[in-house]
Amino acid sequence: MILFFLSSGLFLGWSLGANDAANVFGTAVGTKMIKFKTAALIASICVILGAVLEGSGATHILGELGAVNTLPGAFAVAFAAGFTVTFMTRLRLPVSTSQAIVGAIIGWNIFSGSPTDLTSLTKIVLTWVLCPVISAFFAIILYWITKYFLENSKIHLITMDAITRTALIIVGAFGAYSLGANNIANVVGVFVPTSPFQEILIGDFITISSVQQLFFLGAIAISIGVFTYSFKVMRTVGKDLFRLSPVTAFIVVLSHSLVLYLFASQGLRDWLLSHNLPALPLVPVSSSQAVIGAIIGIAIAKGGRNIQWNVLGRISSGWVTTPVIAGLIAFVALFFVQNVFDQHVYHETVYAFPDVVIERLQEEDIPGDDLELLAGMEFGNIRRLNRYLNEIGVRDTEQRAKIRYYSAILEMEISKLLLRQIAPEMLTSRQLMTLNSLKGQTFFFEWEFYETLQQLSDEWRFKEETEENLEYNQDLRRILQYLRELFLIRRK
C-alpha cells in the first residue's frame, strides 16, 4: 500500500526527468555536439548524486508552504503535479515542475482548509521571477567573456570542437547534479513528513536516513524519465526558441547550472553568508525557466535578433497556467481519494485553549480581551478557529499565527522504543542525556516539548541570530524537526 501511494511521487519524478532534466543537455543535444544516450546516462548518474547528497537544502520551504500530513494526501498532490507536467510535455512545452507542485500543494491547503503561508509563497513566487533573470544575467556575462577569449586566441577549429564537447559534458554533469539537489524536493518533498522508511546503518560510520532513501527513489524515477521521454522537449529548448551554436550551448548550460546550485546548496549559502556576501534563499526553482532565461540572455547579448517570440509566448503561457491547472487537478483528486476510495487525505488539527495556552499567549502580548473570549474553548479544525477569530475581530496576521501555533494540539510521546531509533552521533552527549530524561512523558503541544528541553539544557537553546551562529541554529532546527516527526502520535 505504501509503495502504491509513493507511485505518484515516482510518476512526478518521471515527468520531471522527461521535462526538466532534458534541459541540462537539451542545448548540447540540439546542436548535435553530444549523443542523446550519452547525455541521458551522465544526467541520470549526476541527478542521483545531487539528490542524495544535497537534496535536503531546498525541501523545507515546501513544508512551510503546506505540510501534507497523510500518505493518501501526498499521493493526490504528487499525482496532480505529475499529470500536469506530463500533459504540458505532450504539448512540447518546457514547463516548471516547481510551479506544478506548488499549485498542487495550494490545492491541498484549500481542500483541507489549511492556511497557506504567504511569506513562503511570496518567497517562492519571487524566485520564479528571479531565476530566469539571474540566469540571463549570467549568460550575458559569460558570453562576453567567452567572446573576448575566442577573439584573442588562435585555437584550431578541430581543437576548439574537442574542447567544446568536453566542456558541454562537464557543465552538463554539473547541471544534472544541481538539478538533483534542487528539484528532488519537488518530486518527493510532500512525502517527507510521512516518510515510511527507517534509517539504515552500514557499519559504524554510514547512516542512510529515511529522507535520503526517498530522494534516491525519486532520483531513479527522474533518470527513467530522461531516458524514455525527454527527447521532444530537448528539441524545443535546443532548436525552436533560438538557434544556438555549440559554444553558446555551453554558456546556456553553465548559466542554468550555476543558478540551480545557488538556490540549492546549503554549504554554499553558509559560506557566502560567513564572508558577508549576499545569498539566495534555498528554494526548488525551475530548471526550465533557468534554461529559457539563459537562452534569452544569449539572444540579448547578440542584439536581440532571431528570438522566436511566438515560441517564447507559448512557453510563458505554460508557466502561468501550470500552477492553476495543478491546483484544480489536486482538488479534484483529493475529493475522489477521500470520497470514492475512503482514504484520509489530511489530518484535522484540533486547537484548544486551556490555562497553560492562555498563559503562554499572554507572554506573547496577545490582548487580554481576546484571550478572555478564547479561554477554555476548543475548535475541531483550522476553519472553525479562523471563523471564530474573525467573529471576535482578531485580524492581525502575526497574532493569528501565534494563536494557531500555541493552541494546536500535536501530541508527542517520548517512548523508550523511539528513543532507541536516534543515532547517538546526531546529538551531543548533554542533548542526548536531557532527551532521555523525558522518557515516558507525553506533550500535547509542540512548543511545550521544545521549551522543556531548553529549560533542561542550554544546548537545546537557539543562539543569537548572527552570521556566526547561522549554521548552529540551522542544525538545531533540523534536529527539532526530526524529533517532532519521530515522536508525533498520528491518529486516524
Side-chain angles (χ1 to χ4, degrees):
M1 196 64 175
I2 290 173
L3 287 177
F4 173 77
F5 287 133
L6 281 176
S7 64
S8 66
L10 302 182
F11 170 56
L12 178 58
W14 176 84
S15 302
L16 188 144
N19 193 298
D20 288 32
N23 296 333
V24 175
F25 281 106
T27 47
V29 173
T31 54
K32 300 187 185 301
M33 292 296 287
I34 299 175
K35 292 180 179 178
F36 171 72
K37 289 184 179 179
T38 304
L41 179 63
I42 297 171
S44 299
I45 294 172
C46 294
V47 159
I48 292 172
L49 290 174
V52 175
L53 297 178
E54 292 200 73
S56 61
T59 304
H60 71 285
I61 190 74
L62 292 182
E64 293 174 5
L65 181 67
V68 182
N69 52 17
T70 68
L71 269 176
F75 167 83
V77 167
F79 172 80
F83 183 86
T84 304
V85 173
T86 303
F87 176 71
M88 291 297 186
T89 303
R90 293 276 298 177
L91 300 178
R92 298 180 59 189
L93 289 175
V95 297
S96 164
T97 307
S98 302
Q99 291 171 342
I101 197 68
V102 166
I105 288 175
I106 292 175
W108 181 86
N109 286 346
I110 295 172
F111 188 86
S112 64
S114 303
T116 298
D117 188 308
L118 294 180
T119 302
S120 299
L121 180 61
T122 303
K123 191 185 294 184
I124 291 171
V125 171
L126 279 177
T127 64
W128 293 350
V129 178
L130 281 176
C131 173
V133 171
I134 296 174
S135 190
F137 175 75
F138 281 164
I140 292 171
I141 299 298
L142 289 170
Y143 175 79
W144 286 339
I145 294 173
T146 306
K147 184 180 178 184
Y148 177 82
F149 173 76
L150 293 176
E151 289 177 349
N152 292 277
S153 64
K154 297 179 180 179
I155 302 175
H156 192 277
L157 283 177
I158 296 177
T159 305
M160 177 57 70
D161 184 78
I163 292 174
T164 305
R165 288 175 193 273
T166 305
L168 282 170
I169 290 174
I170 293 172
V171 297
F174 174 49
Y177 181 88
S178 302
L179 179 72
N182 187 283
N183 272 218
I184 195 65
N186 294 330
V187 176
V188 291
V190 292
F191 291 96
V192 168
T194 55
S195 176
F197 301 112
Q198 301 294 323
E199 284 191 345
I200 298 175
L201 297 176
I202 302 176
D204 295 331
F205 304 102
I206 300 176
T207 302
I208 303 175
S209 69
S210 167
V211 174
Q212 284 178 313
Q213 293 170 60
L214 263 180
F215 288 174
F216 179 74
L217 282 178
I220 292 291
I222 294 173
S223 302
I224 294 172
V226 174
F227 271 101
T228 57
Y229 211 77
S230 65
F231 190 67
K232 289 183 179 179
V233 182
M234 281 190 182
R235 287 180 59 83
T236 298
V237 173
K239 297 181 67 176
D240 293 356
L241 179 62
F242 184 83
R243 294 284 178 180
L244 294 171
S245 68
V247 174
T248 52
F250 158 77
I251 295 172
V252 166
V253 177
L254 182 56
S255 303
H256 148 279
S257 307
L258 288 171
V259 171
L260 259 64
Y261 195 68
L262 280 174
F263 279 102
S265 175
Q266 181 72 58
L268 178 61
R269 176 182 165 80
D270 293 345
W271 184 87
L272 289 171
L273 291 175
S274 66
H275 290 78
N276 298 318
L277 294 172
L280 294 170
L282 301 181
V283 176
V285 295
S286 167
S287 170
S288 302
Q289 289 181 321
V291 164
I292 301 299
I295 292 176
I296 293 174
I298 293 288
I300 293 172
K302 285 188 166 187
R305 298 182 299 275
N306 298 327
I307 296 179
Q308 301 300 316
W309 293 106
N310 58 332
V311 177
L312 179 60
R314 197 160 61 92
I315 292 172
S316 300
S317 67
W319 292 349
V320 174
T321 54
T322 293
V324 178
I325 294 173
L328 291 173
I329 294 175
F331 193 92
V332 174
L334 288 163
F335 177 84
F336 271 91
V337 172
Q338 177 177 271
N339 296 290
V340 177
F341 299 103
D342 195 26
Q343 297 291 319
H344 293 279
V345 294
Y346 62 89
H347 284 305
E348 295 274 24
T349 300
V350 175
Y351 298 83
F353 293 86
D355 291 344
V356 65
V357 172
I358 296 296
E359 290 169 6
R360 189 64 185 80
L361 287 171
Q362 285 174 339
E363 296 175 16
E364 295 295 325
D365 296 328
I366 304 297
D369 293 344
D370 297 334
L371 294 179
E372 284 184 15
L373 294 170
L374 288 166
M377 297 198 69
E378 185 172 304
F379 301 88
N381 56 49
I382 186 68
R383 295 181 297 279
R384 293 175 185 169
L385 174 61
N386 284 336
R387 194 181 307 128
Y388 187 72
L389 292 178
N390 290 335
E391 289 174 3
I392 63 176
V394 180
R395 308 286 183 190
D396 185 88
T397 305
E398 187 177 348
Q399 287 184 6
R400 291 171 70 104
K402 287 179 179 177
I403 290 172
R404 284 196 297 265
Y405 173 71
Y406 286 105
S407 64
I409 296 180
L410 294 173
E411 194 174 355
M412 302 167 72
E413 181 181 8
I414 319 303
S415 72
K416 183 178 179 181
L417 182 65
L418 293 175
L419 283 169
R420 286 178 180 170
Q421 293 184 22
I422 299 173
E425 62 272 16
M426 183 178 179
L427 307 175
T428 66
S429 58
R430 191 165 179 77
Q431 284 177 327
L432 193 59
M433 184 177 70
T434 52
L435 185 61
N436 279 317
S437 72
L438 301 180
K439 186 187 305 176
Q441 292 194 35
T442 300
F443 297 88
F444 288 93
F445 300 98
E446 181 182 4
W447 58 269
E448 276 189 309
F449 171 63
Y450 296 159
E451 292 185 1
T452 301
L453 285 175
Q454 290 165 0
Q455 289 167 5
L456 291 173
S457 169
D458 290 341
E459 295 189 18
W460 284 109
R461 292 182 181 176
F462 291 101
K463 296 182 178 178
E464 185 182 357
E465 291 290 348
T466 62
E467 292 176 4
E468 292 77 16
N469 298 330
L470 183 67
E471 186 174 355
Y472 173 88
N473 287 339
Q474 286 175 340
D475 286 343
L476 186 54
R477 285 192 185 91
R478 278 194 287 269
I479 292 171
L480 291 173
Q481 177 68 22
Y482 168 76
L483 295 178
R484 175 188 184 278
E485 297 303 324
L486 179 66
F487 295 129
L488 186 64
I489 300 175
R490 294 179 171 85
R491 303 185 191 281
K492 290 186 177 179

